[in-house]
Amino acid sequence: WAHVQDDASALARLCAGAIGICIDKHHKLPAYKPQIMTPKEYGYTCLDRLLESGFSSATIFQEGTKALTFLADSLPKSEEIEEKQNF
């Protein structure tokens, strides 16, 4: 069962990091600096701050999943990349 806990922890960190990038309009979470920290490290910091601020893990998962979906949808699709390469 250890791998299940590790997977849940990793997902929680990713969700918290996505919240920090997409939803934190009041700048209560640190800015993401990819040259200094990995997404996992950033997510860990955001997760700690969110939990300390009283957010439940369910809320972090729910809102973080929305933010991750938004980020994934903003990535260029393979068709778009091929069109630009053929231009």
Side-chain angles (χ1 to χ4, degrees):
W1 292 102
H3 71 283
V4 173
Q5 180 62 36
D6 290 342
D7 291 346
S9 296
L11 180 57
R13 289 184 194 113
L14 285 174
C15 285
I19 289 170
I21 291 170
C22 295
I23 302 174
D24 183 31
K25 293 181 177 30
H26 299 289
H27 305 290
K28 298 204 183 246
L29 298 173
Y32 177 53
K33 298 175 184 164
Q35 67 276 20
I36 296 173
M37 61 183 76
T38 66
K40 185 177 177 181
E41 292 168 333
Y42 177 68
Y44 182 83
T45 301
C46 290
L47 183 60
D48 274 354
R49 294 240 183 120
L50 289 168
L51 291 172
E52 287 173 359
S53 296
F55 289 92
S56 70
S57 57
T59 299
I60 294 168
F61 278 113
Q62 182 179 9
E63 297 305 315
T65 300
K66 289 178 191 175
L68 287 169
T69 301
F70 169 78
L71 291 170
D73 288 344
S74 68
L75 293 172
K77 309 294 184 262
S78 60
E79 299 85 25
E80 295 170 352
I81 293 170
E82 288 176 16
E83 285 177 14
K84 288 186 180 182
Q85 286 177 340
N86 293 329
F87 181 72

